Amino acid sequence: MAVSANVIIPSVEVSNGLNGYLNKKEEIADVLKKRGNQEYKLKDYAKALKHYNEAIDLLPENPALYGNRAACYMMLGQYCKALDDARKAINLDDKFIKGYLRVIKCCIIMGEILEADKNLRIVLNLDPNNVSILAEQSNLTALKNAFSNAETSYTNKDYRQAVYFLDRTLDYAKSCIAFKVMKAECLAFLKRFQEAQEIVNNILNNIDKQNVDAIYVRGMCMYYMDNIDRAFTHFQHVLKLAPDHSKTVNIYKRAKLLKQKKENGNEAFKASRLKEAYSFYTDALNIDPLNDSTNSKLYFNRATVSFKLGHLNDSVKDCSSALKLDDKYIKPLLRRAKCYLDLEQFDEAVRDYEKAYKLERTNEIKTLLSNAKLQHKRSLRKDYYKILGIHRDASTEEIKKAYRKRALVHHPDRHANATEGEKKEQEKKFKELGEAYGVLSDPNKRFRYDNGQDIEESNGNDIDASSVFRTFFENSRFDPHVGNNFNSFSFKFG
């Protein structure tokens, strides 16, 4: 046996035989123990541990030495080794109070509630008024209450509350891997993936690289972050280590089904089987409501199908659902903006393009935004094309024909015998026709109007509708009372 060079072996008269040998070992072990105690008080736990190890090598059946080494391991944060030593101590001496206390402390720190409870009952019978024992009893009660609340919250899927109570649980059971993994799982359900991964990565990298629950949670994070292939690798690893791991079995099935339905939808869309694609995407959206990342893409895909089918309101609804799950997802934002434009909901279109431009300041989006603003501005003015009943690329001849037809219908003289309300309505329409013709028949004004520029005459302030009419029909013998017999008119187009 190697003995520390710093140990001073007392001079002892050693008798012949075994007793003398044992006495000498006990004396040396006692010196080593005292050295260890000195280093422990100085908080040099590594040196203290070395002395305790040497003492135990001499006296492997001494409960006090295991108790001391357990205390040293605890200060070093090595609670598994500390618990092993504390268990040995009470197995060697079932009345060893300090040994029981260290078992209970380690069990609380490691979350071994049942073992802590069992040993607490034993030691309370040995010394019911011991202050240290009563303090550990209080800690154990607080731990059990916190964990009970955490379990209840978890069962009720109130993961935010579960995390709160698990934090209280970990205040006592700070080295319990099971509680840490449970917290990481709850954080994953709350979409706090970075925090969840930090917890399980620390366990897998520094404590237990084969911990199936931690591997499951890491795979779960990847699945919910739409990294399906890496998630599959983790789920498969878990099932090799623990084929009956029920949580992994369930999520792996969902992940495979979700991937398959999404791929089926994509294939149908590429083949222009739009209704079939819509059905596949709908099925996929019903598989896992918690998978925000994948579901946001599925909503956008279905919105694209609806757009292609001409179902603009349905497309808007699915784009909104996608953005609710991921408000930085630019594709549904642009798709919804286009739908709003087509629905002539210009305020909403401009709003979406502005959001998109803040996310990605590209020239393409800038152009889309400018066009939307132009259309919005146009929408606030009178639509002269609509008033004349013509399309925007109408020729000069088409503009004249449209004006001639409508002006004859709405001329006030035609409605001399109508009610006052009807007269005013016809006068209004006649005036608007004059404004529309006055702008669209003038190439310069029409160019400015089409480009959203202000037209001074757009409010009809200096356009006399009757003057426009007379100019248009200046050589005709117009009789507004002649009904629809337009053959008497001789039009002279300017």
Side-chain angles (χ1 to χ4, degrees):
M1 180 207 69
V3 179
S4 172
N6 294 325
V7 175
I8 301 174
I9 302 176
S11 176
V12 180
E13 184 70 30
V14 180
S15 60
N16 291 330
L18 184 60
N19 287 337
Y21 172 73
L22 292 175
N23 287 338
K24 185 176 181 180
K25 285 178 64 176
E26 289 175 356
E27 289 180 16
I28 295 173
D30 187 58
V31 171
L32 292 168
K33 176 184 174 183
K34 288 177 180 177
R35 288 288 188 185
N37 292 346
Q38 288 175 358
E39 300 294 355
Y40 184 93
K41 289 178 181 177
L42 294 172
K43 298 184 179 180
D44 193 340
Y45 304 114
K47 287 184 179 179
L49 184 62
K50 180 181 178 183
H51 293 311
Y52 293 142
N53 286 338
E54 292 172 344
I56 288 172
D57 286 343
L58 288 169
L59 298 178
E61 302 300 316
N62 186 303
L65 290 175
Y66 286 108
N68 285 10
R69 191 169 72 175
C72 194
Y73 277 133
M74 289 174 69
M75 299 308 295
L76 290 168
Q78 299 179 37
Y79 297 106
C80 286
K81 291 181 178 180
L83 182 56
D84 286 342
D85 274 356
R87 285 169 177 161
K88 289 176 184 176
I90 62 174
N91 284 336
L92 292 168
D93 180 2
D94 61 2
K95 302 291 190 295
F96 186 25
I97 301 295
K98 286 186 178 180
Y100 282 107
L101 276 171
R102 282 164 190 158
V103 168
I104 295 166
K105 282 179 180 288
C106 287
C107 285
I108 289 174
I109 289 171
M110 297 174 66
E112 300 290 345
I113 293 175
L114 294 178
E115 187 176 351
D117 215 13
K118 172 188 170 184
N119 284 279
L120 182 64
R121 288 195 298 270
I122 295 172
V123 79
L124 280 171
N125 288 329
L126 295 174
D127 191 356
N129 298 315
N130 186 304
V131 175
S132 297
I133 296 173
L134 295 175
E136 294 308 320
Q137 183 182 34
S138 176
N139 290 337
L140 181 57
T141 299
L143 169 60
K144 288 194 288 186
N145 288 339
F147 183 59
S148 176
N149 288 329
E151 280 191 309
T152 300
S153 299
Y154 179 90
T155 301
N156 293 334
K157 297 184 178 181
D158 186 349
Y159 299 115
R160 194 174 305 279
Q161 189 82 330
V163 168
Y164 171 81
F165 284 118
L166 282 167
D167 282 338
R168 306 291 77 74
T169 301
L170 288 165
D171 286 341
Y172 299 95
K174 61 183 179 181
S175 288
C176 180
I177 293 176
F179 294 161
K180 289 180 180 180
V181 172
M182 185 177 179
K183 177 183 175 181
E185 184 183 10
C186 291
L187 289 170
F189 281 127
L190 292 170
K191 318 302 177 190
R192 293 160 62 178
F193 302 117
Q194 184 175 350
E195 295 171 74
Q197 287 182 310
E198 285 174 0
I199 293 171
V200 294
N201 286 344
N202 180 61
I203 292 169
L204 293 169
N205 294 335
N206 302 314
I207 303 172
D208 180 6
K209 66 180 181 179
Q210 298 287 64
N211 187 289
V212 292
D213 293 320
I215 298 170
Y216 152 73
V217 171
R218 187 152 68 179
M220 175 185 170
C221 289
M222 292 173 183
Y223 164 64
Y224 284 129
M225 293 169 71
D226 200 29
N227 194 340
I228 298 291
D229 291 334
R230 289 194 66 194
F232 282 176
T233 300
H234 282 73
F235 297 151
Q236 290 162 357
H237 188 192
V238 172
L239 295 176
K240 284 181 181 177
L241 297 172
D244 297 326
H245 195 273
S246 59
K247 290 181 179 179
T248 301
V249 171
N250 291 334
I251 198 170
Y252 190 28
K253 285 181 179 177
R254 289 201 309 275
K256 288 196 292 186
L257 182 59
L258 183 60
K259 182 181 180 183
Q260 187 60 56
K261 290 289 185 181
K262 183 181 177 184
E263 289 177 350
N264 289 344
N266 293 345
E267 290 173 6
F269 180 80
K270 289 176 183 176
S272 297
R273 303 193 306 271
L274 297 181
K275 291 184 179 179
E276 188 177 338
Y278 189 95
S279 179
F280 278 126
Y281 291 140
T282 300
D283 290 343
L285 283 164
N286 290 327
I287 292 171
D288 191 348
L290 295 176
N291 196 324
D292 289 356
S293 183
T294 299
N295 288 342
S296 65
K297 294 177 175 63
L298 288 169
Y299 274 120
F300 169 69
N301 289 356
R302 196 170 72 171
T304 302
V305 174
S306 292
F307 182 83
K308 293 282 187 181
L309 291 169
H311 303 159
L312 299 184
N313 287 317
D314 289 340
S315 186
V316 166
K317 183 178 178 181
D318 276 348
C319 286
S320 297
S321 295
L323 290 165
K324 186 176 182 181
L325 298 177
D326 182 0
D327 61 359
K328 303 270 189 307
Y329 190 9
I330 198 162
K331 286 184 178 180
L333 196 56
L334 292 173
R335 171 66 66 203
R336 189 173 68 178
K338 180 65 172 83
C339 289
Y340 280 141
L341 275 184
D342 291 349
L343 291 167
E344 297 186 357
Q345 297 178 26
F346 300 109
D347 281 332
E348 291 83 352
V350 169
R351 179 196 64 203
D352 278 356
Y353 281 128
E354 285 176 339
K355 287 181 181 177
Y357 189 61
K358 286 180 181 178
L359 292 173
E360 290 187 15
R361 293 184 174 275
T362 66
N363 289 331
E364 181 183 0
I365 297 176
K366 184 177 181 181
T367 299
L368 291 171
L369 174 58
S370 297
N371 290 338
K373 286 182 175 179
L374 177 59
Q375 291 189 54
H376 184 213
K377 188 173 183 180
R378 287 172 177 170
S379 72
L380 299 176
R381 304 175 305 172
K382 292 178 182 178
D383 188 342
Y384 290 149
Y385 291 99
K386 187 175 181 180
I387 290 171
L388 288 174
I390 56 177
H391 46 80
R392 288 192 166 269
D393 57 353
S395 65
T396 301
E397 198 67 24
E398 288 172 321
I399 292 171
K400 290 178 178 179
K401 287 180 180 179
Y403 175 71
R404 177 182 62 189
K405 178 180 178 180
R406 296 197 174 210
L408 292 172
V409 172
H410 298 293
H411 193 286
D413 289 349
R414 267 262 163 93
H415 305 279
N417 297 325
T419 64
E420 288 301 318
E422 180 63 21
K423 285 180 181 179
K424 288 182 180 179
E425 181 63 24
Q426 294 300 327
E427 287 174 2
K428 177 184 176 184
K429 291 180 178 180
F430 183 71
K431 181 179 179 182
E432 288 177 341
L433 284 168
E435 293 173 19
Y437 181 74
V439 170
L440 300 184
S441 63
D442 184 317
N444 291 329
K445 291 179 180 178
R446 182 179 182 183
F447 177 80
R448 289 164 57 202
Y449 175 81
D450 287 345
N451 285 278
Q453 298 178 27
D454 291 332
I455 304 295
E456 184 177 277
E457 298 87 355
S458 62
N459 292 323
N461 292 332
D462 64 350
I463 291 183
D464 185 336
S466 296
S467 176
V468 171
F469 185 85
R470 284 195 301 271
T471 301
F472 191 90
F473 293 105
E474 71 177 338
N475 293 328
S476 70
R477 298 182 302 280
F478 173 65
D479 182 354
H481 303 291
V482 176
N484 292 325
N485 182 10
F486 296 3
N487 294 326
S488 60
F489 303 155
S490 175
F491 302 112
K492 182 179 179 181
F493 300 121

